[in-house]
C-alpha cells in the first residue's frame, strides 16, 4: 500500500496540479504538486525501510489487469524488491527536492507554472512506473512516459526555437534507442512467451543455448536480446553515439535538467541493465559491448567537459561521463556498484545542477562561465554546496562519489578481462579529467576577477530559501551517501541488502574480489582526483593565462573538443540532411504530385465525365426513345451472346 | 368457388377511390384537403387490411397474396401516404389544389398494389398501366404550367413505348412458353434443350419495360425532365412508391418463374445496374436544379438496388427490400425539404437557393443534411444499411465488380450530396424561406426519425424483409 501510494501519488499530483492549474492559480498548483511528491517520498522511503530493515519480503503489488488477449495476460503490477524500493526512495526524494527548488527558480515566470509542475510530477510518476514495473511492457510504458515528459519539459519554453529543437532532438534520438528496446522486448517475448520478469528470469537458464540465425550467421539469442536492450539503454542514458540529445536538453529550465540528469530519465538505461542482470549475465558478448561503450563514453564525455564554457553544458557532459562509469560497472558484472554509483550520482548531480541553477539565477540568467567569476562571497550557500557536489563528483575521499567510483574502477580492474582493463584505463583517465573540469567550473564561476558587467554584478544575490533548502539537503546526501551505503550496496552486507534483486552469474566474483585490489589501484581515483583539482587550481587561479596559451598551441585539439568531437555535424551530414532530402522528395513529389495529383486528376475526370453524361439529355423525345431502343438492342445482344 | 377476399384491400381501396371521387364531384366546393384526408383514411384502412391478409392464391392463379406482396404493399401505401401529405400544402399554395389529385394518387396506388400481388404477366400489366395512367395525369397536373404539361406528355409518350416493349415481351414469353402464369412458367422455361432464344428475348423485353419505370439506364432518359417538370409532390410520389412496385415485380418475375435461369439474365441486370450507378453519380454532379439532382440520385439508387437483384439469392432480395424501404423514407424526407423551399410564395428549386440555410432555418438544414448523408450511405443512417446489405449479397455471390463499382460511385455521389450540405452550412445566407406548413414538417421529421433511428430497429425490419424474401425462394 505504501509502495503503491509512493508510485501513484505523483500521478495524482500531476493531474490535480496540471489539468485545472489555470483555475487553481500558481500557488495552489505548486502546493498540490509538492504535497503529493512529499507524500510519495515519505511513502517511498517508508517502503524502502520496511523492505530493508523490517524484513518485508520481496513481492508483487498487483494494481489492475491490463491486457488479456488469448493466452497473453498482462498486469499492471509493482515489483517490490530492493532494486525497485531503492530507486523509488531515491527518485521520490530527489524529485521532491527539485519540486521545492522549482518554486523559487520559476518565481519570475511570466505565465502560470502549473503546467510545469504538472509535467514535473508526471515525469516523476513515469520514472516510478519504470522502476517498479514487474514486466517489460510496463517498463516500456514508463520508459516512453519519461521520454514524453522529457520532451514536454525540455521544450517547456516553447516560444524559444532552440528549446523546441532540443525537445524534438531528444525525442528523435531516443526513438532510435526505443526502437531497439521494443525489438528487444519482442525478442524476449518470442523466446519466453511472457514478459513478466519473474517468469523470464526463472526460464533464463533453460534457453542458454538458443540460437538466432541472422544474415547467414548464428547468434546466441541472449546476445541478441542483450545488445538490443543495451542499445535501448544507450538512447535513454545518452551513451556515445546516442548522446547528442543530452547536452541540448539544457534548453529546459534548470530544475528539469536536474531531474533528467539525476533522478529520472538518464538513469533508466542503467536501471534496465541492473533489472535485466539475470539475463545479461548469460550474454558475455553483450556485456563486453556494455563495458566498451560505457568506458568510451566515460572518457569521451569527460574530454568535452574540459573545454565547454556553458556551466550547464559542463555538468551535462559530466553526467554523460558518469553514466559511462555506471555502464562500465554493469559491463564487468558489478551491477551493485553500478546502482551504487547511480544513487550517489543522483545526489551530487542534482546538487550540482541546482547549484548551477542558483548561480544562473544570481547572475541574471547568464550561463557562460567566461562572464562569471568572483562571486563566491555573494552566494555563500550555493558556493559551499557546489564545492561539496564537485568534490563528490571528482571522487575525493570521503565524499559520496569516491566510494562508488572507486568501487567501479576496482571492479573493472579486477574483472581481469582485456575489455575490463580498457575500462579501467578510460575510467581512471576520466576520473582525472572529471576532477579537472569540476575544479575549472568552480574556479571560473566563483573565483578570480568578476567578468560580468557592473549591472549584473550589482544584482548578484543568494537564492531564496526554497532554493537553498534543497541544496543543503542534497549536500548532506552528496557528502554522506557513499560512506553510509557502501557496506550495504557493495560491501559486506550486500547479499543481505539486495536479497536477490540483482543477479551475479556463477563465475562472477567481481564483488568479492573488490577488497583484494592492490593498494596502488585502490588509491588511484583519489590521487587522480586531487591531481585534477590541483591542475585546475594552477590553470584557473595561479596562472590564468596558461589555458588560453594551451588552447592556441593545440588549437585543432581544442576545437575538436569544443565542438564535441563534431558528432552533431557528423550526424547532420549522415542522418539529418538525407532525411530532409527524403522528406522534401516525399513531400513535393510523393505528396503534392502523386498523392494529391491522383485525386485532383480524378476529380477533373469526374467533372468532365459528368459533362459528357448529360450531353445527350437534350429534352427531345425522339432522342430519348432512340436511346431506349438502342439500349434494348444492347440488352438483347448481351442476352444472346451470353447463352 | 372463387376466393374474392384475396384482393379485398385493393377492392376496398378502389371502391373508396370511386366513392371519394363521387363525393368530390357532388360537394362542388373547394374540397381538396377534405378529399386528401379521406384518401389518407382509406390508405390507413387498407394498410390495416393488408397487414391481416393471409397467404393465398386467387382468381385462377392471377393474383397472389404472400409476405412478399404484403411487404411491398405496405411500403407502397406508406410512400403514397407520405407524399400525399406533402401535396396538401403544396397544391394549395400553387393553386392546383383539386380533389382529383388525391384520387389519382389512390388509383395509382391500387395499380401498384395489384402489381405487387401479380401472379400472372397479365395482372402485372394491368397494374402497371393503372399506375402509369394515373401518373401521366398527375405529372401534368399543373396544366397551366408549360413544364408540367411537357413532363406529363413526355412521360406518356415514352411510357407508352415502354409499355409496348413490355407487352411485346409478354407476348413473346407467352408464345414460347405457352403460359403467362408465374407458377407454370418455370416448367416451360426449363425445356429439354435449354431456354429458347425467343423466350430469352421476351425476358429481355420484359426487363426493359420494367426498367423504364425504375428509370434504370438506358431507360432513364425521361427521369430528369419529368422530375423537374412535374409538381414537386408528384415528383416525390414518383420517386417513392412507383419505384417500389416495378421493382418488386421485377424481383418476383426474375426470381420466381425465371429464377433458375438467373445465369442468363444476370449479365443484363449487371450492365443496367453498373450503368445506372455510373450515370446516377456522374451526371448529377453538374446539376443546379435540386429536382433534377434528385432525379439522377434516384437513377443511381435504382442502380444500387439492382446490385442486390443481380446475384439472384435470398440475401440479395432481402437487401433490395431493405434498400427500397430506406430509399422510400429518405426520398420522401428529401422531397419534403424540397417542398419547403418557398420564397415569397413561389417555389424555388435551385441548389443555390439553399445557401446558408443553416443560419436561417437550422432544423430544415439539419434534416436535409441527414437525408443527404443517408443517401450518400454514411453510417449510421438508414441509407448505409441499404447499401450494406446489397453490397454484402453481391460480395457473397462473388460479384465483386458490382460491389466495387457501387462503392466507387458512392464515393463520387458523396460529392453532390455533401455539396448541398456545404452550400447550406458554409455559403453566405440567401433570404429565408417562407414558413413551412405543419404537414411538410411532419413528413420531414417522420422520415428523418426513421432514417436516423433505423439502426435501432434494424432487427424487425431486416426480419420482415427476410421473411418476404424467403417467399420467393420458398
Amino acid at each position: 500500500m505504501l509502495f503503491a501510494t509512493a508510485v501513484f501519488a505523483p500521478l495524482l499530483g500531476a493531474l490535480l496540479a496540471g489539468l485545472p492549474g489555470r483555475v487553481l492559480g500558481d500557488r495552489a498548483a505548486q502546493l498540490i504538486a509538492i504535497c503529493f511528491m512529499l507524500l510519495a517520498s515519505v511513502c517511498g522511503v517508508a517502503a524502502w525501510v520496511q523492505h530493508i530493515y523490517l524484513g518485508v519480503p520481496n513481492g508483487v503489488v498487483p494494481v489492475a489487469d491490463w491486457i488479456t488477449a488469448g493466452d497473453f495476460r498482462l498486469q499492471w503490477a509493482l515489483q517490490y524488491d530492493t532494486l525497485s524500493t531503492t530507486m523509488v526512495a531515491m527518485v521520490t526524494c530527489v524529485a521532491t527536492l527539485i519540486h521545492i527548488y522549482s518554486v523559487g527558480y520559476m518565481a519570475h515566470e511570466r505565465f502560470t507554472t502549473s503546467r510545469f509542475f504538472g509535467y514535473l510530477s508526471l515525469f516523476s510518476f513515469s520514472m516510478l512506473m519504470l522502476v517498479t514495473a514487474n514486466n517489460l511492457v510496463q517498463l516500456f510504458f514508463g520508459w516512453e512516459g519519461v521520454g514524453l515528459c522529457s520532451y514536454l519539459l525540455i521544450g517547456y519554453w516553447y516560444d524559444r526555437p532552440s528549446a523546441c529543437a532540443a525537445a524534438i532532438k531528444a525525442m528523435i534520438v531516443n526513438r532510435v534507442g526505443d526502437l531497439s528496446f521494443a525489438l528487444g522486448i519482442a525478442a524476449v517475448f518470442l523466446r519466453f512467451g511472457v514478459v513478466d520478469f519473474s517468469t523470464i528470469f526463472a526460464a533464463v537458464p533453460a534457453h542458454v543455448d538458443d540460437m538466432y540465425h541472422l544474415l547467414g550467421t548464428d547468434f546466441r539469442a541472449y546476445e541478441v536480446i542483450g545488445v538490443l536492450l543495451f542499445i535501448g539503454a544507450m538512447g535513454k542514458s545518452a551513451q556515445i553515439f546516442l548522446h547528442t540529445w543530452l547536452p541540448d536538453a539544457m534548453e529546459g529550465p534548470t530544475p528539469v535538467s536536474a531531474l533528467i540528469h539525476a533522478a529520472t530519465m538518464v538513469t533508466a538505461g542503467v536501471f534496465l541493465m541492473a533489472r535485466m542482470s539475470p539475463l545479461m549475465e548469460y550474454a558475455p558478448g553483450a556485456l563486453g559491448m556494455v563495458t566498451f561503450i560505457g568506458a568510451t563514453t566515460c572518457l569521451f564525455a569527460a574530454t568535452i567537459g574540459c573545454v565547454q564554457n556553458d556551466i550547464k553544458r559542463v555538468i551535462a557532459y559530466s553526467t554523460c561521463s558518469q553514466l559511462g562509469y555506471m555502464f562500465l560497472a554493469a559491463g564487468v558484472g558489478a551491477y551493485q556498484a553500478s546502482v551504487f554509483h547511480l544513487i550517489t550520482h543522483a545526489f551530487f548531480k542534482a546538487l550540482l545542477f541546482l547549484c548551477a541553477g542558483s548561480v544562473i539565477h544570481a547572475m541574471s540568467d547568464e550561463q557562460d562561465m567566461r562572464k562569471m567569476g568572483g562571486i563566491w562571497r555573494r552566494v555563500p550557500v550555493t558556493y559551499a554546496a557546489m564545492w561539496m557536489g564537485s568534490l563528490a563528483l571528482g571522487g575525493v575521499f570521503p565524499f559520496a562519489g569516491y566510494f562508488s567510483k572507486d568501487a567501479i574502477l576496482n571492479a573493472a580492474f579486477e574483472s581481469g578481462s582485456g575489455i575490463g582493463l580498457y575500462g579501467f584505463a578510460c575510467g581512471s583517465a576520466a576520473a582525472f579529467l572529471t576532477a579537472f573540469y569540476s575544479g575549472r567550473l568552480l574556479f571560473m564561476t566563483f573565483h578570480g576577477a568578476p567578468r560580468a558587467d557592473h549591472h549584473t554584478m550589482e544584482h548578484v544575490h543568494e537564492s531564496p530559501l526554497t532554493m537553498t533548502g534543497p541544496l543543503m539537503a542534497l549536500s548532506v546526501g552528496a557528502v554522506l551517501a557513499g560512506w553510509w551505503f557502501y557496506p550495504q550496496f557493495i560491501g559486506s552486507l550486500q547479499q543481505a541488502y539486495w536479497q536477490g534483486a540483482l543477479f551475479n552469474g556463477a563465475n562472477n566474483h567481481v564483488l568479492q574480489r573488490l577488497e583484494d585490489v592492490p593498494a596502488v589501484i585502490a588509491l588511484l581515483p583519489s590521487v587522480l582526483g586531487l591531481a585534477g583539482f590541483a591542475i585546475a587550481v594552477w590553470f584557473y587561479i595561479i596562472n590564468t593565462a596558461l589555458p588560453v596559451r594551451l588552447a592556441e598551441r593545440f588549437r585543432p585539439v581544442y576545437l575538436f573538443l569544443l565542438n564535441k568531437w563534431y558528432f552533431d555535424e557528423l550526424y547532420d551530414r549522415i542522418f539529418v540532411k538525407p532525411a530532409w532530402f527524403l522528406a522534401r522528395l516525399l513531400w513535393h513529389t510523393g505528396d503534392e504530385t502523386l498523392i494529391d495529383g491522383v485525386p485532383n486528376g480524378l476529380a477533373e475526370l469526374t467533372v468532365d465525365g459528368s459533362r459528357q453524361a448529360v450531353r445527350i439529355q437534350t429534352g427531345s423525345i425522339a432522342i430519348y426513345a432512340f436511346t431506349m431502343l438502342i439500349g434494348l438492342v444492347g440488352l438483347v445482344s448481351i442476352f444472346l451472346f451470353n447463352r | 368457388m372463387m376466393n374474392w377476399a384475396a384482393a379485398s384491400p385493393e377492392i376496398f381501396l378502389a371502391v373508396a377511390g370511386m366513392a371519394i371521387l363521387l363525393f368530390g364531384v357532388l360537394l362542388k366546393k373547394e374540397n381538396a384537403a377534405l378529399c386528401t384526408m379521406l384518401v389518407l383514411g382509406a390508405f390507413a384502412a387498407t394498410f390495416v387490411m393488408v397487414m391481416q391478409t393471409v397467404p393465398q392464391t386467387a382468381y385462377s392463379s392471377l393474383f397472389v397474396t404472400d409476405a412478399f406482396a404484403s411487404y411491398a404493399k405496405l411500403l407502397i401505401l406508406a410512400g403514397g401516404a407520405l407524399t400525399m401529405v406533402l401535396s396538401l400544402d403544396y397544391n394549395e399554395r400553387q393553386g392546383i389544389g383539386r380533389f382529383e389529385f388525391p384520387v389519382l394518387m389512390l388509383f395509382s396506388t391500387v395499380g401498384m398494389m395489384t402489381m405487387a400481388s401479380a401472379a400472372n404477366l397479365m395482372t402485372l400489366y394491368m397494374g402497371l398501366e393503372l399506375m402509369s395512367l394515373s401518373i401521366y395525369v398527375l405529372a401534368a397536373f399543373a396544366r397551366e404550367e408549360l413544364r408540367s404539361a411537357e413532363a406529363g406528355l413526355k412521360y406518356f409518350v415514352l411510357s407508352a413505348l415502354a409499355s409496348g416493349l413490355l407487352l411485346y415481351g409478354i407476348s413473346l414469353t407467352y408464345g414460347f412458353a405457352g403460359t403467362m402464369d408465374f407458377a407454370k412458367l418455370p416448367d416451360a422455361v426449363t425445356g429439354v434443350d435449354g431456354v429458347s432464344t425467343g423466350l430469352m428475348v421476351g425476358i429481355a423485353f420484359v426487363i426493359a419495360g420494367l426498367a423504364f419505370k425504375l428509370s434504370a439506364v438506358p431507360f432513364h432518359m425521361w427521369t430528369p425532365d419529368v422530375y423537374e417538370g412535374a409538381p414537386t409532390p408528384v415528383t416525390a410520389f414518383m420517386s417513392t412508391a412507383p419505384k417500389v412496385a416495378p421493382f418488386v415485380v421485377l424481383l418476383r418475375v426474375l426470381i420466381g418463374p425465371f429464377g433458375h435461369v438467373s445465369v442468363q439474365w444476370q449479365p443484363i441486370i449487371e450492365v443496367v445496374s453498373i450503368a445506372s450507378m455510373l450515370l446516377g453519380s456522374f451526371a448529377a454532379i453538374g446539376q443546379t436544379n435540386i429536382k433534377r439532382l434528385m432525379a439522377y440520385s434516384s437513377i443511381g439508387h435504382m442502380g444500387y438496388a439492382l446490385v442486390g437483384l443481380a446475384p439472384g439469392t435470398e440475401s440479395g432480395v432481402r437487401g433490395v427490400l431493405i434498400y427500397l424501404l430506406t430509399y422510400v423514407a429518405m426520398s420522401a424526407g428529401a422531397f419534403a425539404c424540397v417542398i419547403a423551399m418557398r420564397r415569397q410564395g413561389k417555389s424555388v428549386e435551385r441548389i443555390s437557393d439553399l445557401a446558408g440555410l443553416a443560419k436561417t432555418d437550422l432544423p430544415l438544414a439539419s434534416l436535409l443534411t441527414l437525408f443527404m448523408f443517408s443517401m450518400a450511405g454514411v453510417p449510421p443512417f438508414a441509407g448505409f444499411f441499404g447499401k450494406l446489405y446489397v453490397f454484402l449479397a453481391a460480395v457473397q455471390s462473388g460479384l465483386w465488380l458490382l460491389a466495387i463499382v457501387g462503392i466507387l460511385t458512392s464515393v463520387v455521389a458523396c460529392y453532390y450530396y455533401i455539396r448541398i450540405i456545404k452550400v447550406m452550412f458554409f455559403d453566405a445566407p440567401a433570404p429565408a424561406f417562407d414558413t413551412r406548413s405543419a404537414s411538410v414538417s411532419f413528413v420531414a421529421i417522420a422520415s428523418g426519425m426513421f432514417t436516423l433511428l433505423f439502426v435501432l430497429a434494424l432487427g424487425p425490419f431486416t426480419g420482415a424483409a427476410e421473411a418476404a424474401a424467403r417467399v420467393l425462394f420458398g
Side-chain angles (χ1 to χ4, degrees), chain A residues 305-348:
Chain A
C306 289
V307 297
Q308 294 301 313
N309 292 316
D310 184 318
I311 183 167
K312 281 170 79 181
R313 247 169 223 278
V314 175
I315 308 177
Y317 276 103
S318 84
T319 305
C320 217
S321 171
Q322 300 305 309
L323 288 165
Y325 277 112
M326 296 177 211
F327 280 110
L328 169 58
V332 297
Y335 305 101
Q336 290 84 346
S338 173
V339 176
F340 185 33
H341 196 52
L342 191 163
I343 299 290
T344 58
H345 174 256
F347 284 109
F348 63 71

Side-chain angles (χ1 to χ4, degrees), chain A residues 259-589:
Chain A
L259 200 54
I260 290 180
H261 287 253
T264 59
M265 188 85 178
V266 294
T267 53
V270 180
F271 169 81
L272 178 68
M273 290 296 110
R275 177 55 89 203
M276 297 306 287
S277 56
L279 195 147
M280 296 301 286
E281 277 295 87
Y282 289 94
L287 281 181
M289 177 177 167
V290 174
T291 314
F292 177 76
I293 294 284
T296 310
T297 309
C298 161
L299 183 59
F300 147 82
T303 57
I304 298 175
C306 289
V307 297
Q308 294 301 313
N309 292 316
D310 184 318
I311 183 167
K312 281 170 79 181
R313 247 169 223 278
V314 175
I315 308 177
Y317 276 103
S318 84
T319 305
C320 217
S321 171
Q322 300 305 309
L323 288 165
Y325 277 112
M326 296 177 211
F327 280 110
L328 169 58
V332 297
Y335 305 101
Q336 290 84 346
S338 173
V339 176
F340 185 33
H341 196 52
L342 191 163
I343 299 290
T344 58
H345 174 256
F347 284 109
F348 63 71
K349 189 49 59 72
L351 176 62
L352 281 173
F353 262 114
L354 297 187
C355 285
S358 179
V359 169
I360 294 166
H361 199 69
M363 299 293 293
S364 312
D365 291 337
E366 181 56 63
Q367 301 196 9
D368 193 332
M369 293 192 296
R370 286 170 300 188
K371 295 183 183 158
M372 297 179 180
I375 60 166
W376 66 276
R377 281 175 207 282
R378 308 272 192 99
V379 287
V381 180
T382 308
Y383 177 61
M386 191 71 130
W387 258 109
M388 287 189 250
S390 298
L391 288 174
L393 171 65
V396 174
F397 184 83
F399 294 92
Y402 164 78
F403 294 95
S404 50
K405 199 180 285 187
D406 192 43
I408 289 173
L409 289 176
N410 290 352
F413 184 78
E414 275 300 318
S415 72
S417 60
I419 200 84
L421 287 176
Y422 169 76
F424 175 75
C426 286
S428 302
F432 168 74
L433 292 174
T434 306
F436 170 73
Y437 65 66
S438 301
R440 174 174 175 268
L441 184 149
L442 272 172
F443 303 138
M444 278 183 86
T445 307
F446 293 102
H447 291 272
R451 291 180 294 275
D453 58 48
H454 182 67
H455 184 70
T456 312
M457 284 306 287
E458 267 189 353
H459 280 89
V460 172
H461 58 283
E462 185 55 275
S463 302
L465 189 64
T466 48
M467 290 168 70
T468 49
L471 293 187
M472 293 186 254
L474 286 169
S475 301
V476 175
V479 176
L480 295 180
W483 170 75
W484 182 261
F485 290 124
Y486 178 78
Q488 301 173 17
F489 272 64
I490 46 176
S492 47
L493 302 173
Q494 65 101 352
Q495 281 198 336
Y497 180 79
W498 291 106
Q499 299 175 23
L502 297 175
F503 178 80
N504 296 94
N507 304 319
N508 182 348
H509 303 298
V510 168
L511 278 186
Q512 287 83 335
R513 294 215 302 268
L514 276 187
E515 301 298 328
D516 307 340
V517 291
V520 182
I521 303 295
L523 282 175
L524 197 63
S526 295
V527 172
L528 288 171
L530 287 173
F533 274 112
I535 289 183
V537 170
W538 185 36
F539 270 30
Y540 294 96
I541 301 270
I542 298 170
N543 190 351
T544 48
L546 194 60
V548 183
R549 280 220 307 281
L550 273 178
E552 275 168 11
R553 184 78 188 277
F554 299 102
R555 189 158 178 79
V557 178
Y558 175 71
L559 281 181
F560 182 67
L561 295 180
L562 188 66
N563 287 306
K564 304 156 262 178
W565 290 33
Y566 293 106
F567 260 107
D568 280 332
E569 287 74 7
L570 194 68
Y571 283 180
D572 189 56
R573 283 285 160 74
I574 301 178
F575 301 114
V576 181
K577 288 262 166 62
W580 275 109
F581 173 75
L582 191 67
R584 289 226 171 76
L585 188 78
L586 289 175
W587 170 26
H588 289 303
T589 315

Side-chain angles (χ1 to χ4, degrees), chain B residues 116-439:
Chain B
S117 269
N120 184 295
L121 287 172
M122 227 48 231
T123 324
L124 186 167
Y125 182 71
M126 290 280 299
L128 188 87
E129 280 307 292
L130 181 53
M131 169 187 96
S132 304
L133 277 169
S134 313
I135 295 180
Y136 305 148
V137 184
L138 283 171
F141 207 74
R143 58 192 174 202
E144 274 100 48
E145 239 182 85
L146 192 62
R147 283 196 315 172
S148 179
E150 182 191 333
L153 193 62
K154 246 180 204 169
Y155 188 48
F156 173 66
V157 172
L158 293 173
S159 191
L161 177 61
S163 290
L165 297 179
L166 181 64
L167 266 184
Y168 190 54
I170 290 175
S171 49
L172 274 174
T173 309
Y174 181 67
F176 282 91
T179 176
M180 290 193 287
D181 249 0
F182 290 174
K184 293 182 194 136
L185 270 171
D187 299 329
V189 167
T190 43
V192 184
D193 46 349
V195 193
S196 68
T197 311
L199 187 58
M200 274 171 34
V201 175
I203 298 175
F205 272 73
V206 170
I207 292 177
L210 291 172
F212 174 85
K213 301 292 174 198
L214 294 179
S215 57
V217 178
F219 310 102
H220 67 285
M221 302 296 284
W222 59 276
T223 322
D225 294 3
V226 175
Y227 268 44
E228 189 188 353
T232 313
V234 178
T235 314
F237 181 62
M238 280 164 50
S239 73
T240 52
K243 289 279 182 292
V244 176
F247 215 118
V248 292
V249 163
L250 192 61
L251 287 177
R252 200 191 275 284
V253 171
L254 288 187
I255 303 295
F258 304 120
H260 44 273
V261 291
S262 63
V263 194
Q264 308 281 340
W265 51 257
Q266 199 176 51
I268 295 196
I269 298 297
E270 279 185 60
V271 167
V272 170
S273 167
I274 289 176
S276 302
M277 290 190 285
L278 286 174
L279 188 98
S281 53
F282 280 89
I285 286 174
Q287 302 303 323
T288 53
N289 181 301
I290 192 149
K291 279 163 82 181
R292 273 187 99 80
L293 182 111
M294 292 303 292
Y296 284 109
S297 152
S298 156
I299 293 171
H301 279 296
M302 287 305 113
Y304 295 123
L306 284 169
V307 170
L309 171 58
T313 59
E314 193 174 322
S315 76
V317 174
R318 182 190 64 168
V320 174
L321 292 178
I322 293 171
Y323 199 100
L324 291 174
L325 172 66
T326 61
Y327 173 68
V328 164
M330 294 186 299
S331 225
F335 274 106
C337 295
V338 174
I339 284 178
M341 291 168 63
R342 301 187 74 85
R343 201 168 276 148
Q344 286 152 8
K346 293 182 100 171
S347 176
V348 290
E349 296 172 356
R350 276 175 308 136
I351 291 172
S352 55
D353 290 319
L354 287 165
L357 187 63
K359 301 229 170 50
T360 57
D361 189 351
L362 185 61
L364 185 65
S366 313
L367 281 166
L368 190 50
T369 303
L370 173 67
F371 297 126
M372 289 301 126
F373 271 134
S374 179
M375 288 207 172
V378 175
F381 305 121
F384 165 73
F385 292 99
K387 283 202 173 67
L388 176 70
Y389 283 115
V390 292
F391 290 157
L392 193 65
V395 168
Q396 278 167 350
S397 300
L399 300 175
W400 286 96
L401 180 68
L402 278 180
I404 289 168
V405 171
I407 284 162
L408 289 182
T409 52
S410 306
V411 173
V412 177
C414 268
Y415 166 75
Y416 60 79
Y417 290 129
I418 293 175
R419 183 166 67 111
I420 293 181
I421 298 169
K422 175 247 165 195
V423 167
M424 289 192 295
F425 279 83
F426 300 110
D427 282 8
F433 290 142
D434 298 351
T435 331
R436 60 182 182 279
S437 73
S439 55

Side-chain angles (χ1 to χ4, degrees), chain A residues 3 6-7 37 40-41 43-45 47-49 51-52 79-96 124-133 139 143 146 237 259-275 323 326 335-336 338-347 485 489 497-498 501-502:
Chain A
F3 198 51
V7 174
M37 274 318 295
S41 54
C43 292
V45 171
W48 174 70
V49 168
H51 182 62
I52 306 300
Q79 183 92 356
Y80 184 74
D81 61 12
T82 306
L83 182 58
S84 61
T85 48
T86 306
M87 290 296 288
V88 166
M90 183 277 284
V91 170
T92 50
C93 287
V94 173
T96 306
S124 315
F125 165 71
S126 304
M127 188 64 189
L128 292 171
M129 212 64 217
L130 193 160
V131 297
T132 57
L139 197 153
W143 188 271
V146 295
S237 294
L259 200 54
I260 290 180
H261 287 253
T264 59
M265 188 85 178
V266 294
T267 53
V270 180
F271 169 81
L272 178 68
M273 290 296 110
R275 177 55 89 203
L323 288 165
M326 296 177 211
Y335 305 101
Q336 290 84 346
S338 173
V339 176
F340 185 33
H341 196 52
L342 191 163
I343 299 290
T344 58
H345 174 256
F347 284 109
F485 290 124
F489 272 64
Y497 180 79
W498 291 106
L502 297 175

Side-chain angles (χ1 to χ4, degrees), chain A residues 584-607:
Chain A
R584 289 226 171 76
L585 188 78
L586 289 175
W587 170 26
H588 289 303
T589 315
D591 191 57
E592 286 185 345
T593 313
L594 288 176
I595 297 180
D596 285 353
V598 169
N600 286 348
L602 274 178
E604 273 164 30
L605 257 174
T606 307
V607 172

